[in-house]
Amino acid sequence: MPLPKRPRPRTPRLRALRLKRRPRQPGERAAARGPRFRLTQRRRRRLVQAVMLGCVLALAPATWMHAVADSRIRTVAEVPARDVAVVFGAGLWSGRPTPYLAHRLDAAAELYRAGKVKVVLVTGDNSREEYDEPDAMRTYLVARGVPDGRIVSDYAGFDTWDSCVRAKKIFGVDRAVLVTQGFHVRRAVALCGAAGVESYGVGVAEPHDATWYYGGIREVFASGKAAVEAVVRPDPMFLGPAETGVAEALAAGGGAR
């Protein structure tokens, strides 16, 4: 017959003993953490000067653009008459101008109807067969009353500098009205001036939406690139031979370049 199991005696659990640490003596804590960088008054002054210099260098290109272009920004009603308006590309949606580009083209059509310009040079990206900004811009302008013969296309306006240089060297434009959004117009006027195109800018007003804020922030960084381009004056991505489209459109309309 099996013996009955004896109950296992319970042993009391010992609580963890909290050992009291000896208080550290003065200087022990600093030694445990290692040497601390001491920011002396001289180092603070140099740090402040470095920050101020960085801010000045960052804002210098934007200051240059405002100094060059502020006096040349006008509305559609106020801008002096010029033979040529240059409209910069601003993207397509499903082959049609984006709202921002459509507003630029609306302003250009208004300039033409008011007799402020005789020819519209549309400059944009056609680096891919399925993406053709200039032709989409032309179609939009024709639908709003600008004759097809008064529209000239630049298919290699890949950025603002390229468009300005090509307007001067390829299409022979010496003076122009530049049409773009307000946050971009100063850079356009400054770069076209550096490229040899004496210009006034029409800044198209837009609601302060996400795109507007993005464009404004982008211009802060783009101003640095613009300053370098104005000094170095590189050739555009694609230059090519001279074209007579602007001269022929002006001759047909009785204008002079």
Side-chain angles (χ1 to χ4, degrees):
M1 184 174 180
L3 295 176
K5 292 183 179 180
R6 294 181 180 181
R8 181 179 295 178
R10 292 185 177 181
T11 57
R13 295 182 178 179
L14 298 177
R15 294 182 179 180
L17 297 178
R18 296 183 179 178
L19 300 178
K20 294 184 178 180
R21 296 182 178 179
R22 178 180 61 84
R24 290 179 175 174
Q25 299 299 320
E28 286 185 352
R29 181 168 300 183
R33 292 182 180 178
R36 180 179 295 180
F37 178 77
R38 296 182 60 187
L39 193 61
T40 63
Q41 183 175 359
R42 183 178 181 183
R43 285 174 175 169
R44 281 197 298 268
R45 185 167 59 250
R46 288 183 176 179
L47 180 60
V48 171
Q49 291 172 346
V51 172
M52 292 178 63
L53 178 61
C55 292
V56 169
L57 292 177
L59 295 176
T63 303
W64 160 72
M65 287 195 312
H66 278 269
V68 170
D70 274 356
S71 63
R72 291 185 165 271
I73 309 302
R74 300 285 191 275
T75 64
V76 171
E78 298 170 346
V79 71
R82 292 289 185 267
D83 286 342
V84 181
V86 178
V87 185
F88 300 87
L92 303 177
W93 284 354
S94 300
R96 302 171 67 89
T98 60
Y100 271 46
L101 179 53
H103 297 162
R104 298 180 187 186
L105 296 167
D106 289 337
E110 187 177 352
L111 286 168
Y112 179 81
R113 290 192 296 266
K116 292 295 184 76
V117 299
K118 299 180 176 70
V119 172
V120 180
L121 174 62
V122 291
T123 174
D125 186 353
N126 182 216
S127 57
R128 307 186 306 274
E129 185 176 353
E130 70 278 6
Y131 189 87
D132 192 339
E133 275 189 308
D135 277 0
M137 296 162 76
R138 176 186 291 272
T139 300
Y140 189 96
L141 286 172
V142 170
R144 279 147 187 81
V146 181
D148 185 74
R150 298 297 182 90
I151 304 169
V152 180
S153 298
D154 175 12
Y155 294 97
F158 301 126
D159 62 15
T160 305
W161 174 251
D162 284 14
S163 295
C164 290
V165 174
R166 286 178 56 81
K168 173 68 175 181
K169 293 186 176 182
I170 302 302
F171 296 93
V173 176
D174 297 322
R175 303 195 306 168
V177 175
L178 311 180
V179 184
T180 183
Q181 266 70 36
F183 55 75
H184 174 236
V185 69
R186 289 173 178 80
R187 180 159 62 96
V189 170
L191 286 178
C192 278
V197 180
E198 185 268 320
S199 58
Y200 284 88
V202 171
V204 179
E206 296 288 350
H208 291 189
D209 54 10
T211 304
W212 187 90
Y213 283 109
Y214 169 78
I217 295 172
R218 180 177 178 271
E219 284 302 307
V220 175
F221 298 96
S223 63
K225 176 176 177 287
V228 173
E229 289 169 333
V231 173
V232 178
R233 301 189 181 185
D235 285 335
M237 185 181 298
F238 181 80
L239 193 59
E243 299 186 18
T244 59
V246 170
E248 291 173 359
L250 288 173
R257 191 164 63 252

